[in-house]
């Protein structure tokens, strides 16, 4: 079975419970649509848990990208030479990221020893930018945020990274002409898409939107591609 989860944002306890709910096993596959880190209580431990599974496949999110970009420079040995190479843009990246929830990731990352820091960065650096899955006569395009400047005949490899991880999908628009092709995304909380404003998966216009805003009191959702079955775990205290 193939499952998809998005935006766990360090919600380790909820993620572990979701694995139990779906009865995740060695024969299954699980795709994480980015934003594994930041905001939630255990971003580093969540990533370290994902690293233990050979059948969990991370797709890069904007928070993962910013964490990788900033922490790769913080992980350098602090010398006069390395400090001199830091630019004002580097400092702005750090401030932007930490103010957007990256502060907890930064604290937990710097508490690791060097070997574990490097393994953490290697894992984020190996994330795919998208996944293209064909199953049971259907096609699923998995990205973190969407396909900005979409064209039906545009190859997926032609999209810039920012078009995949930063720009939000237009959920009022059907992207692909083919009826059995779905765009599966996170990034945009479903309560802002659904007319009922509920923290539930959105499925309309060829979209499957999965970010049910667990880190802000919503739910962590899993979607099974094989049969479109869904599972939810409520945020702790939510």
């Amino acid at each position: 079975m193939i499952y998809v989860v998005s935006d766990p944002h360090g919600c380790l306890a909820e993620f572990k419970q979701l694995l139990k709910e779906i009865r995740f096993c060695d024969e299954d596959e699980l795709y994480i649509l980015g934003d594994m880190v930041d905001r939630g209580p255990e971003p580093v431990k969540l990533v370290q848990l994902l690293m233990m599974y050979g059948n969990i496949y991370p797709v890069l999110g904007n928070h993962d990208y910013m964490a990788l970009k900033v922490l790769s420079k913080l992980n350098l040995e602090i010398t006069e030479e390395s400090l001199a190479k830091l630019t004002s843009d580097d400092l702005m990246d750090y401030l932007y990221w930490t103010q957007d929830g990256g502060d907890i990731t930064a604290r937990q990352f710097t508490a690791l020893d060097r070997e574990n820091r490097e393994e953490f960065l290697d894992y984020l650096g190996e994330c795919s930018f998208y996944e293209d899955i064909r199953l049971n006569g259907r096609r699923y395009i998995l990205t973190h945020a969407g396909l900005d400047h979409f064209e039906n005949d545009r190859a997926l490899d032609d999209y810039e990274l920012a078009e995949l991880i930063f720009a939000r999908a237009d959920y009022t628009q059907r992207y692909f002409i083919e009826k059995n092709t779905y765009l599966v995304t996170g990034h945009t909380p479903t309560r802002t898409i659904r007319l009922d404003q509920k923290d539930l998966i959105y499925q309309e216009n060829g979209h499957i939107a999965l970010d049910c805003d667990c880190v802000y009191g919503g739910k962590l959702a899993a979607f099974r591609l094989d049969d479109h079955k869904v599972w939810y775990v409520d945020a702790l205290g939510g």
Side-chain angles (χ1 to χ4, degrees):
M1 298 293 183
I2 301 177
Y3 300 88
V4 188
V5 173
S6 82
D7 297 74
H9 275 301
C11 295
L12 178 63
E14 293 89 339
F15 182 77
K16 286 182 175 179
Q17 182 60 38
L18 192 59
L19 291 182
K20 293 179 181 178
E21 294 289 334
I22 66 176
R23 299 181 180 181
F24 188 64
C25 65
D26 291 344
E27 289 72 36
D28 296 327
E29 296 178 4
L30 172 60
Y31 292 86
I32 307 288
L33 299 188
D35 284 5
M36 298 167 283
V37 300
D38 300 351
R39 295 181 176 167
E42 297 288 355
V44 169
K45 287 184 178 179
L46 174 63
V47 171
Q48 290 177 320
L49 174 65
L50 299 179
M51 291 165 59
M52 296 171 63
Y53 286 87
N55 55 341
I56 293 181
Y57 308 101
V59 175
L60 192 72
N62 58 300
H63 280 266
D64 312 311
Y65 169 76
M66 289 302 300
L68 179 62
K69 184 177 182 181
V70 172
L71 294 176
S72 294
K73 294 183 178 180
L74 291 180
N75 198 41
L76 296 173
E77 182 180 357
I78 303 301
T79 64
E80 288 187 8
E81 183 180 1
S82 64
L83 289 174
K85 291 180 180 178
L86 292 176
T87 67
S88 59
D89 286 342
D90 295 331
L91 297 176
M92 289 302 297
D93 284 341
Y94 177 79
L95 289 174
Y96 169 80
W97 174 59
T98 54
Q99 290 172 1
D100 195 27
D103 53 335
I104 188 168
T105 306
R107 290 198 303 272
Q108 294 178 2
F109 175 82
T110 54
L112 299 174
D113 61 34
R114 187 171 187 84
E115 180 179 356
N116 281 295
R117 291 199 304 267
E118 290 176 352
E119 290 177 352
F120 180 91
L121 293 175
D122 286 344
Y123 186 78
L124 293 186
E126 292 170 0
C127 289
S128 64
F129 296 162
Y130 69 85
E131 296 287 347
D132 186 351
I133 298 173
R134 298 173 190 268
L135 181 68
N136 298 335
R138 297 187 292 262
R139 183 186 184 194
Y140 301 93
I141 309 301
L142 280 55
T143 75
H144 173 64
L147 294 171
D148 201 27
H149 305 111
F150 174 78
E151 296 177 16
N152 195 71
D153 58 352
R154 186 180 180 188
L156 293 174
D157 284 342
D158 289 342
Y159 284 90
E160 301 289 338
L161 180 59
E163 294 177 304
L164 302 171
I165 70 171
F166 285 108
R168 300 187 188 278
D170 180 355
Y171 294 98
T172 67
Q173 174 188 355
R174 175 177 286 277
Y175 278 38
F176 292 94
I177 296 172
E178 299 82 4
K179 185 175 68 172
N180 287 327
T181 298
Y182 299 86
L183 179 60
V184 188
T185 55
H187 190 56
T188 301
T190 57
R191 66 174 66 144
T192 69
I193 308 169
R194 295 173 58 99
L195 292 178
D196 60 11
Q197 299 182 331
K198 291 184 177 181
D199 294 314
L200 300 173
I201 291 171
Y202 173 85
Q203 299 183 65
E204 299 287 345
N205 301 323
H207 290 277
I208 303 171
L210 301 179
D211 181 6
C212 297
D213 227 7
C214 180
V215 75
Y216 288 128
K219 304 176 188 297
L220 191 62
F223 186 90
R224 190 160 67 193
L225 298 186
D226 305 75
D227 55 7
H228 290 198
K229 185 174 180 179
V230 301
W231 288 261
Y232 298 101
V233 169
D234 290 332
L236 293 177

